[in-house]
Amino acid sequence: FVTPALEIQEAFLVTEKPFAPEVQEKIKEQVLRYLGDIEPLLRELMKVKLVHNERKKNFINIRIKNEYMRVVHFAEHGDLIFLFAPAYNLLPYIRVFALHRQSGPIGQLVDKQVELLSASIAGFLRAFKLERKVTYATEPCEAKELGSFSVFFAQQHGKLPMYMRVPEELYISTMPLLQALPYKALLPKLRALGADRWSALNALRAECEYLPSLVDIREGGSGVTLELKFLYVPTVFAALLNGVLYGFFMSDKVEPYVIVCAIGQQDGRINRLRKLTRPQISDLDTAITAFKARFDITIDDFHYTSLEEREKTKELKLQSHSLHWHLKIHILPPTLQEGVKVLRLIDLGRLQQLDPISYQNSRDSLSWMQVREALECEADGRKTQNLEKLAKERTLEKERTAAAAAA
């Protein structure tokens, strides 16, 4: 079904209907096998999805698994890798787990591996400038608190994952989206939520009006738990300007873009915006400038899908584009690897040669001035130019300039 470059064989490229579930599973396994041949770790880090679009064409979609998008730090010891990620439930814990490059997840440490973990934790604490001791637990829950590192491993016999209880300011520092919000001692108040969903929503709204749209609220036997919505987990930068929260987050598709969304008042409640006003466009310009300065980005390449195109997609009931406003800023590999830490563990250049990922690197782009003009047209209710045509013309102009310089 699939070539080693992860292209679907021509005979299966266009089909009247999506592949049957059993065929999809075979294709996914074949893709993962090829990924493992490139680098065994890829088989663990990646997940595969098959897409059948409106033109009856089949695509392979490769994404980084959710748990690895959360990683904020790792330590390598040969083929043994320890990873650190903030707990899912907005409590101040860091999840610590382990992988072997060849065989995948490790559920229990033995002998010298425990010493290597202790050294890795020390490295994590230095990286986040934390000097005081931390405590450990089997779950991110105060009722499960176990105490010191030695006590933890004596009682748990080296089992992973484990959770480190860290200061709230350290935990918040791993989530730029929360850092941008107007909160004071946010986490202690989240722990005091009511016992049902409505009580939780009211408590969140009273603390910060943006929070209900950013978190999933789950009810269980032990009460309400909160999780930051996965979309916002890989946020690398955020700015709250005049009532709108601009979030810059990494894509799990290994694409060379940071995705920007805008969260503010719409239809009487806080939600992701569908379009921006002229003042919001000016604020977006300010946020982009700050983001570029933070990550030392000098290239001026953007990808934008117009409101008209997004609305057309919704009318046709296609899944090509989200109706919400979003903008993609082109970034280079070092920024991509800084935002998605696990990409430092693999040969990114080789991965980007594969068909589902190389496509993302070959897309035409717009300048910020072209994007801004399109946004202002939408804000004024005017029709935008054909952005795809503009991007292609810009690519051709770049190629002519490069050719002239070479000559």
Side-chain angles (χ1 to χ4, degrees):
F1 295 101
V2 179
T3 71
L6 304 191
E7 298 173 285
I8 292 181
Q9 298 280 10
E10 191 170 346
F12 305 102
L13 191 56
V14 178
T15 56
E16 194 66 29
K17 296 180 179 179
F19 293 120
E22 60 271 19
V23 176
Q24 290 193 33
E25 289 307 311
K26 287 182 180 178
I27 294 174
K28 289 177 184 179
E29 181 53 40
Q30 191 174 5
V31 169
L32 288 172
R33 189 168 67 248
Y34 280 136
L35 286 173
D37 291 342
I38 294 170
E39 197 164 337
L41 190 58
L42 287 173
R43 187 179 174 93
E44 168 58 27
L45 297 180
M46 301 295 175
K47 59 185 177 183
V48 181
K49 181 181 177 182
L50 292 173
V51 179
H52 186 259
N53 72 5
E54 65 274 13
R55 299 183 185 91
K56 302 178 181 180
K57 191 173 181 181
N58 295 301
F59 292 92
I60 294 170
N61 192 315
I62 302 173
R63 295 175 182 263
I64 302 169
K65 291 179 182 176
N66 292 5
E67 59 264 40
Y68 297 116
M69 289 295 292
R70 298 176 185 268
V71 170
V72 295
H73 183 83
F74 65 83
E76 293 182 90
H77 303 277
D79 283 341
L80 178 63
I81 306 166
F82 293 107
L83 303 105
F84 299 76
Y88 300 169
N89 61 355
L90 295 183
L91 291 178
Y93 290 82
I94 299 295
R95 182 173 182 254
V96 185
F97 56 114
L99 288 177
H100 190 278
R101 279 190 173 274
Q102 307 298 322
S103 55
I106 297 174
Q108 187 158 1
L109 301 181
V110 295
D111 303 330
K112 191 171 178 60
Q113 290 177 338
V114 177
E115 295 177 21
L116 294 175
L117 173 59
S118 180
S120 299
I121 290 173
F124 169 83
L125 297 177
R126 284 194 301 273
F128 283 84
K129 298 179 173 58
L130 183 63
E131 296 180 359
R132 75 185 197 201
K133 290 183 178 180
V134 295
T135 52
Y136 302 86
T138 56
E139 296 177 35
C141 170
E142 291 178 327
K144 299 289 184 179
E145 200 80 30
L146 288 177
S148 70
F149 184 85
S150 58
V151 169
F152 179 88
F153 272 94
Q155 293 184 8
Q156 296 301 312
H157 308 291
K159 290 182 181 178
L160 291 178
M162 62 187 286
Y163 289 85
M164 290 194 300
R165 172 67 186 267
V166 296
E168 287 159 3
E169 59 270 21
L170 189 158
Y171 181 81
I172 289 288
S173 75
T174 67
M175 296 187 175
L177 196 68
L178 295 183
Q179 276 186 298
L181 296 177
Y183 69 89
K184 289 185 178 179
L186 173 65
L187 293 175
K189 293 185 179 181
L190 294 184
R191 294 191 204 109
L193 289 176
D196 61 76
R197 181 180 173 85
W198 289 110
S199 297
L201 276 172
N202 289 332
L204 284 176
R205 198 171 284 114
E207 178 59 33
C208 174
E209 61 181 346
Y210 298 89
L211 280 175
S213 66
L214 302 179
V215 301
D216 288 322
I217 302 175
R218 307 186 192 283
E219 294 180 67
S222 57
V224 172
T225 59
L226 302 176
E227 290 184 15
L228 188 65
K229 289 181 178 177
F230 176 70
L231 172 66
Y232 305 120
V233 166
T235 303
V236 292
F237 185 81
L240 182 61
L241 299 169
N242 296 312
V244 176
L245 182 62
Y246 299 91
F248 295 66
F249 54 92
M250 308 302 298
S251 167
D252 60 355
K253 292 193 290 187
V254 199
E255 58 183 350
Y257 296 100
V258 164
I259 304 169
V260 190
C261 71
I263 301 165
Q265 280 283 353
Q266 181 173 272
D267 301 328
R269 64 192 185 99
I270 298 288
N271 208 339
R272 290 180 65 189
L273 302 180
R274 287 193 292 272
K275 70 174 184 178
L276 304 183
T277 64
R278 277 186 172 259
Q280 289 166 352
I281 294 166
S282 294
D283 287 338
L284 171 66
D285 194 341
T286 300
I288 289 173
T289 299
F291 164 75
K292 284 188 161 188
R294 161 68 180 81
F295 288 93
D296 196 24
I297 296 171
T298 57
I299 52 179
D300 181 39
D301 290 334
F302 296 79
H303 182 77
Y304 180 61
T305 303
S306 68
L307 176 62
E308 180 183 5
E309 183 67 23
R310 284 180 275 131
E311 289 177 337
K312 189 186 303 181
T313 295
K314 187 183 181 187
E315 287 171 12
L316 295 174
K317 297 183 179 179
L318 305 176
Q319 296 181 353
S320 309
H321 304 292
S322 166
L323 181 60
H324 301 298
W325 179 87
H326 59 284
L327 172 68
K328 294 186 176 183
I329 304 176
H330 194 274
I331 57 175
L332 296 176
T335 307
L336 178 59
Q337 290 175 308
E338 183 176 353
V340 185
K341 297 288 193 295
V342 294
L343 292 179
R344 294 177 177 173
L345 294 168
I346 60 172
D347 184 344
L348 182 59
R350 194 171 178 191
L351 186 64
Q352 288 177 328
Q353 293 172 12
L354 299 175
D355 185 65
I357 295 172
S358 64
Y359 159 74
Q360 303 290 350
N361 287 272
S362 61
R363 299 168 80 177
D364 300 315
S365 62
L366 299 163
S367 69
W368 168 240
M369 292 307 297
Q370 289 173 316
V371 171
R372 179 159 187 159
E373 184 178 340
L375 295 177
E376 289 172 347
C377 283
E378 292 174 354
D380 297 342
R382 294 181 284 121
K383 187 177 178 62
T384 61
Q385 296 186 61
N386 185 323
L387 299 183
E388 187 176 349
K389 182 181 177 183
L390 279 178
K392 286 182 178 177
E393 289 174 351
R394 185 168 182 260
T395 297
L396 290 173
E397 181 60 32
K398 281 183 175 181
E399 290 172 352
R400 285 193 290 268
T401 302

